[in-house]
Amino acid sequence: MVNRTPVIAVIGAGIAGLEAARQLKDLGYKPVLIEKAPVVGGHVAEWNRLFPDLSPAADLVQSLSKGAGSVKTYTDTEIASMGRLKDGYSLILGNGETLLCDAVLFATGFHLFDASKKEEYGYGIYDRVITNRDLEQWFNNRHDPRVANPKAVGFVHCVGSRDVKAGNTQCSKVCCITAIKQAIEIKEEFPEAEVYCFYMDLRLFGKKYEDFYIKAQRDYGIHFIRGRVSEVGEAIDGRVVVKAEDTLNGKPIKVTLDLLVLMAGIVCNPDAQHYAREIGVAVDEDGFLRSRDNVSSIVESSRPGVFYAGACTGAKTIPETLAEARSAALTIHQYFNKRK
Amino acid sequence: MIYQGKQKIWADYQKEIPDDHWFYVRSCIRQNFFPASEKYFLKICRDMLGRDIYESEHHTTCAGIAYHCDTIPQETAMTVVARQFALMTEAGYDNLVTSCITSFGNYVEILETWREFPELEEKIREHLWKACRREFNKPKYVAHASDLVYKLRGEIAERARFQLVHRATGEPLRIVEHIGCHYSKMFPHKGVGGAEYPCVLSGMAEAWGGQVIDYPERRHCCGFGFRQYFVKANRGYSLSNTHKKFESMEPYHPDMIITNCPGCPYFLDRWQYVISEMNGKTYGQNGYGIPALTYEELAGLVLGVDPWDLGLQVHQVAVEPLLDKIGIPYDPSRKYLGMDEKKIMTPGLPTTLKCC
Amino acid sequence: MRERIASHFDPFVIPFLVGMAFVLGYCLIAMIRVIAQLPKEDRKRFLVSLITPKYLWMDVRDIFLNCLIHVKLWKRNRVLGYMHSSIAFGWFMIIVLGHLEVMLFVPERIHLFYYPIFFNYFVAETEQTIQGSLLMFLMDFFLLMILSGIALAVIKRFASRIVGMRRTTRLSLLDRVGLYSLWAIFPLRLLAESFTAHISGGSFLTIPTNWIFRQFLGNDLNALPTWWAYSIALGVFMCVLPFTRYMHIPAEMLLIPMRNAGIRIRHSRKGFALLEVYSCPACGVCIDACPMSVQKANCKDCTVYLNRQLRRGNERRIEEISDKCLLCGKCTAVCQVGVQGPELRIAQRERRKYALSPSFADINVRPMASAVVHGAGGESGGVLYFAGCMTQLTPSIRKATTSLLDKAGVRWQMMDPDGGLCCGRPLMMAGRTEQARELIAKNLEIIRASGCDTLLLSCPICYKVFKEEYPLDDIRVVHHSVFFQELVASGKLQVQKEEGLKLVWHDPCELGRGCGIYDEPRAALAAAGEVVEAAKHHTESICCGGSLGSLTLSFDQRRPMVQNALDNLTAADPAEIVTGCPLCLSTFVRQADRPVRDIAEVLDSRC
Amino acid sequence: MDFGFTLSPSSAVNLDTVDHARYDRLVQLAPDALTCIGCGSCSATCTAAPWSGMSVRKVILCLQRGRDEEVDAMLSRCMLCGKCTMVCPRGINTRHLILTLCRLDRKGEVVR
């Protein structure tokens, strides 16, 4: 049926969208990138350096957006509504345009958990409590006065992850290694600072992650305390008092810190759920989009012509996301080949 | 501290509190500890602010203490509570206001349990019917008396004779607010301001001119803990928890503590004496303690009620330095005069803790 | 024959005399000091040995063979053996012949120390007589022998590989002074004697040299300065000798009789330890032998450098070197002098102070003791098998051992079925002898309670300490490799031999060098397959690298040592590596490219 | 005055005030102590554990938490058998760690 070049709407111009768009373009399709934010790159564009090699995030975003350079891209554009057509989908964009496409690729990514929802940690209440994103911002621009020559810094893993009370039972996968990365970076900036990581489990599954962990212990003397922070209070001098159980010691533990960094986790993007419902794509209990099969077809939905790439189906690392983006492009290619 | 952050949280945890027509249930123990608090709650609401508050002489304990001491099963507590609801229904009220935090927690817990397990409610209705042939409607609103005072704080402020301000310096008084654990820790949305940063008391303190201090152990239990206190062998545990709070608030030099729970002001008051006897330490200025008041007492003081009529003489920690700070007049010679103007007994003086 | 110098004296002998007086005085005092530092019973033992003919004969023989002939070195490396014995024996003979000349020709001058040394300057001799020509011939012969040795020494110093040494010692400044003065002595003697050969006579070496010089040197003006130079070289050498490695020459002469008398290291720095330190010739043979030397950085931690640091009193380095060592004992096995590297190090570890010391005296072992009593069914005798800590981590050894015991119909029981106490050897290696003694007492309680007549060990670490430190006179302490070899030999264990199955036996340090057991395991293995040898084996086997002896070597630092030991074992391409130590086994298994098994496993799988 | 009960100290470890001089010195002398991941292999295999509850994992942890008495009690039965070194997945030289620790006084000074 397809005689003209198939059009593929790629929702989200984060790293998954950018990479998938480039691959689709190279395969001879006509991808269209739709990005809500004014700039492309998604969350990675807000990051400073990437684990485990501490490579600059900007380089990655730059090379990906260069790759997708000739792809038609709408930035600062919301999708007002989506609808199903006989052989494709229609998207009404916020700017009034209607986009008819043969396939949709969700590259909608994730939301960073709103750390202020964990009220006991006092994000937004205590000056010295920041999130992983705030710290990356500081690494980028050094503006945040809260990160001022700290003597003691704490990292709380699993903020909003693996937490029924926060509504997210899934593991965000990247926080452990991000915490270690940021802890090392803090130690490099402030070698005299004592750095504590409060963790429930350390999930260091990826290539070089364990080496990074050993480095954090041996070369930087970062203290790892197995126990989840239960509450944070403010001391008279504005520093924060952190309470946790040192579970390996079986005793409560208390420490006063100059800076507490909350490792806000990866949660689903509610926009993706909204679009999914509009075109009849299933959503998992955890709020992420449901794949046709979690083992063999992670990038496919149960609906023909709807595909996924990246963290819209669950927490992913960058290499996983990029691999999925390429995989999604190939899967779309096969989809059109079959329809011919 | 980012005040706007707290305001945001407070905005998320506002609860609907009807303005008028309340069925009031008293606490089992408060009349002994703070004899005028409940009286002045009623007096302020009814006489000064013109609200309709009804109380029945037939109401009993809510069984919360027994429940938290693990001496009765929850079903028994539920039946007792059902009877209170029946009294309320019979009196023609829908809004229940409790004096006691544990009662409040108990009522909320039972209503929430019934919401989750309606068959349990039916069973309790049967129990109640079998026991005393009563029937009840569930209250439309359950509030703690401090919720009501929080709601009326503006009206009280309008009528206030005194501000919570240091008369000599003009600085707001530094106030530690202590919320009873059963107020919102179990059901954060049932308390004004939630569980982490409740504003029911801080709202009053600020409305009346004071400044709330946020110290690290602010959330910590007063140490009462029912079984911890009632079993003498565990009493050191109770004391140690209170001690932890005092150590944490000490650097802030609080002028007073206000609470909304029957047990908390009692322990925050009396343990100061015990700690001073045990290790010679006092937490107020010049060897005095930190006065621990109920919110009703505080409202009474603000409205110009005579301190001795508010029953402040039964506090262990002397309140006179606080009264002096605010500039509330009092007659020292009347301190230990009873209602009939006859001398009640004068207490002995502690070894270390300074009292007037 | 005539005396050339009427005064029988020339000032050039003064450097020699000073050197001689100094070195003799120094050595005498040092000797008295060492003997005085010995514990009383050791001192008595030593002095008695000196007047016991049996020991006296041993002493003379050993000094001759070791100090002059260097028999051990000959066995190890002929070039080095020749080099050392040519210098030592040649020099000795020159001195002897010098004295002989004096006694023969000018017996009235025998009281003059310098006469035998500078004989040809003072006495003009004729080679016309048989006596004269023979002596002169011998003098030249031995001088040539020494010079050839010196030539080899020079080559060795600058290209040690030619003489078969990969690495040689880095010399200290004084050592260099000593070395160069030693090298200078004999060429200078040749020159001096040559310059005077036309006056005082000479032989096949000195006369032609004299003739050559006389072709272009018109007068004898060179003679006296050369004799001066010769005397100065001797003087310098003797003056620096006590402060250089050449101190081993006099020290070894005392060490040999002391060792023959059975004296052991009893103090980290005094007495016998001091003597061993001074006996070290710093030849550097231990550097190549040391398993740690696989990594260049560790070469500085070999025994030769321990001795040097002990002489210098550099405590930081002494501690570092002492703690790093694997205590494999190979340095002692290859040492010409027999310096006990491991024992010296343990002595250093023993002197350490601790803020905290473990104590085992109040451990209640009664339940363990009563368990073994019941286990034996009240009968005395039988085998008590102590698996030990390391075997707990290698259950295959324990299983194979007990299986073999059952197959052979031996009545046995376990001493530590649910884990026991440590044998005490690791504590001893760490220098915590006192604490080890407490453990030994506890284990003894259990062993005695069992009523066994044989204590069987599958771990050489345990075996060594049970054999040497436990008073178990009436109980046979035996390593399982020996025990099973006996059972195989007596036919109680029928082992099926697989022809062509190449097995290499790794000699565990504690079993081989530690307890001298080399042949029994090989004999037992021969019943199962074809025993091949490693490149280095028996006393020269290479430590697996896992030894508990080292206190500081990290896991990563040990890896190349393990690899080196494995490469050594697989030289003959065996199908399996067989050992008799659970620690060697665990260490090898991690890195080996072929199966590694305990001897018990090998035997058990074939019978 | 005897009330029949006493004020008990908090069981919480306060990292602000805890004295970890001995730990600091230990990791200077035996840096591999830093890499402990608290897996407990050492405790499970320990020969001395039945007599003193010895556990290298706990020793390292207690040192950081100022629980010196427990450390000393645990070390009091260590036989240096080396099993913990054998099983440590991080390759920590536990015997060196123990011996080094035994040489430090409470202030973290090496006794001479």
Side-chain angles (χ1 to χ4, degrees), chain B residues 58-356:
Chain B
H58 297 294
H59 88 75
T60 63
T61 174
C62 72
I65 292 180
Y67 172 52
H68 285 291
C69 288
D70 285 348
T71 54
I72 57 163
Q74 197 188 17
E75 279 184 22
T76 310
M78 282 179 171
T79 313
V80 172
V81 164
R83 184 179 167 276
Q84 323 284 49
F85 290 161
L87 293 176
M88 177 193 76
T89 310
E90 286 159 18
Y93 284 83
D94 292 326
N95 306 331
L96 184 84
V97 62
T98 72
S99 165
C100 168
I101 285 288
T102 294
S103 289
F104 176 72
N106 200 26
Y107 288 123
V108 169
E109 187 182 342
I110 288 170
L111 289 170
E112 288 293 307
T113 311
W114 289 351
R115 193 167 63 80
E116 291 277 340
F117 306 99
E119 67 282 4
L120 195 56
E121 182 185 335
E122 285 314 306
K123 196 173 160 193
I124 300 300
R125 285 185 186 275
E126 257 175 59
H127 286 338
L128 184 67
W129 180 251
K130 279 183 196 159
C132 53
R133 294 287 182 271
R134 284 183 199 267
E135 285 178 307
F136 68 92
N137 295 330
K138 285 188 281 182
K140 281 192 183 139
Y141 296 99
V142 176
H144 183 252
S146 60
D147 292 338
L148 200 53
V149 175
Y150 171 78
K151 190 175 171 73
L152 302 173
R153 69 194 187 285
E155 290 178 47
I156 294 170
E158 283 167 23
R159 290 166 177 77
R161 278 190 57 205
F162 300 101
Q163 291 275 306
L164 300 180
V165 168
H166 202 299
R167 193 176 54 166
T169 63
E171 291 286 315
L173 291 184
R174 305 170 63 79
I175 301 171
V176 159
E177 43 102 37
H178 176 82
I179 310 287
C181 292
H182 296 156
Y183 176 67
S184 60
K185 280 180 185 162
M186 294 186 288
F187 300 97
H189 283 277
K190 301 291 176 189
V192 180
E196 295 293 333
Y197 311 95
C199 70
V200 59
L201 292 180
S202 59
M204 290 179 210
E206 285 171 5
W208 301 337
Q211 177 200 354
V212 172
I213 57 173
D214 190 349
Y215 61 107
E217 297 292 358
R218 174 176 53 77
R219 300 175 180 96
H220 204 81
C221 171
C222 68
F224 177 19
F226 298 86
R227 277 168 297 181
Q228 280 69 35
Y229 178 75
F230 290 137
V231 180
K232 193 175 175 186
N234 294 343
R235 222 164 265 175
Y237 182 78
S238 173
L239 176 70
S240 301
N241 277 287
T242 315
H243 177 249
K244 190 179 196 174
K245 280 186 81 78
F246 281 118
E247 289 292 317
S248 175
M249 71 174 77
E250 186 189 14
Y252 296 81
H253 306 299
D255 296 305
M256 64 192 291
I257 300 168
I258 58 169
T259 65
N260 66 348
C261 177
C264 310
Y266 186 74
F267 287 94
L268 290 172
D269 181 58
R270 306 302 201 270
W271 281 152
Q272 288 194 58
Y273 155 70
V274 176
I275 293 168
S276 74
E277 291 294 330
M278 279 184 181
N279 57 12
K281 183 150 185 187
T282 56
Y283 293 93
Q285 284 154 345
N286 310 321
Y288 287 95
I290 307 169
L293 307 186
T294 68
Y295 58 95
E296 297 105 323
E297 288 169 344
L298 187 67
L301 283 179
V302 164
L303 290 166
V305 180
D306 184 88
W308 310 141
D309 291 347
L310 281 171
L312 299 188
Q313 61 274 59
V314 303
H315 285 233
Q316 174 67 64
V317 173
V319 294
E320 286 88 339
L322 174 69
L323 300 177
D324 292 340
K325 267 184 210 164
I326 307 175
I328 297 173
Y330 59 93
D331 180 357
S333 64
R334 285 193 64 241
K335 185 171 182 180
Y336 295 110
L337 294 188
M339 300 257 283
D340 50 4
E341 297 293 318
K342 276 185 192 158
K343 189 105 178 151
I344 53 176
M345 286 198 290
T346 310
L349 285 176
T351 327
T352 314
L353 185 70
K354 212 158 146 189
C355 293
C356 293

Side-chain angles (χ1 to χ4, degrees), chain A residues 44-64:
Chain A
V44 178
E46 297 178 330
W47 242 242
N48 179 34
R49 288 196 287 174
L50 306 174
F51 58 79
D53 298 329
L54 298 177
S55 49
D59 290 1
L60 177 70
V61 172
Q62 202 189 1
S63 87
L64 289 174

